[in-house]
Amino acid sequence: MSLVAVGSLAFDTIETPYGRRERIVGGSCSYFSLAASFFSQPKIVAVVGEDFPRETIELFKKKGIDLQGLKIEPGKTFHWEARYGDDPNQRSTIKTELNVFQDFSPTLPPQYQEADLVFLANIDPDLQDDILDQIKKPKLVAMDTINLWIQNKPSSLLKVLKKVDIFFANEEEVKMLTEETNLIKAAKKILQKGPRYVAIKKGEHGALVMGKDFVFSVLAHPCEEVIDPTGAGDSFGGGFMGYLDMVNSFEEKEIRKAAVYGSVLASFAIEDFGIERLKSLTFPEIEERFLEFKKLVSF
Ligand code: AMP
């Protein structure tokens, strides 16, 4: 099986109640692929400028991430600045500098076109659509999005939504897209628009996965300190899709386990700024926390 992910590689400037970090490595593809790399060897489609750190590229290689689809263009890497208040679920975007991301329009390498699983991270839905069109016979396609695209490109977003199997979004985004305040009603509306499953990320309250005939609720790891919430959603997606790629089955039983692994990976990502915690994470730590999750819901 093979998993292709398209998204951003970025420099992020982040401020949380625990401090401020300038221009640290981030981007949806960094979080997604590092999280997925514990289960599979994700292939990434992304662009960076010549300023992107060599050591991060070496780290990705060491983690088994396939970089054939990574373009290094003259110019600067995408830069995003955000600030979080005391509530880690609320963030304000201060700045988005697209830089080399502006004209990103990749042609996928031949091996990528044969991918079985596809993850379209929170990028422009027209670009998501263009990339999806290049993949010949995917078995499972998932997409993520952000408020920006729901507000600015709703019809493009709905076009991609029709073609995907899993829609990942957070609570606020799902409510905005469906104009529903009740999450179950909102999830049902999304299921009518195309996807087989919807995975709604609820921050410190975990996630809700709904299919046409099942609902599964997964907790978030109970933690007292969220150092940096950035990338929790993409790490959730990475754990989820990486696990499905590894087990090569999309049955309800595996979807449930995938959601737990997603939540486990997200719980580690928020323990430090940027990708730091995912860099030092080991598989035994993931398994230990997976078992803790099991205990949490056993009664
Ligand atoms: P998450 O916290 O999982 O929603 O993802 C945060 C990541 O998304 C950050 O590391 C940003 O670099 C990246 N990001 C933010 N805005 C955009 C955008 N407009 N397009 C692509 N990536 C973005």
Side-chain angles (χ1 to χ4, degrees), residues 8 10-12 26-28 31 78 80 84 91 96 98 101 122-123 146 148-149 229-234:
S8 53
F11 285 127
D12 289 344
S28 49
Y31 290 103
F78 172 73
W80 178 73
Y84 298 83
R91 76 176 169 210
T96 301
L98 291 175
F101 209 35
N122 62 15
I123 51 168
I146 43 174
L148 179 75
W149 309 120
T230 310
D234 302 306

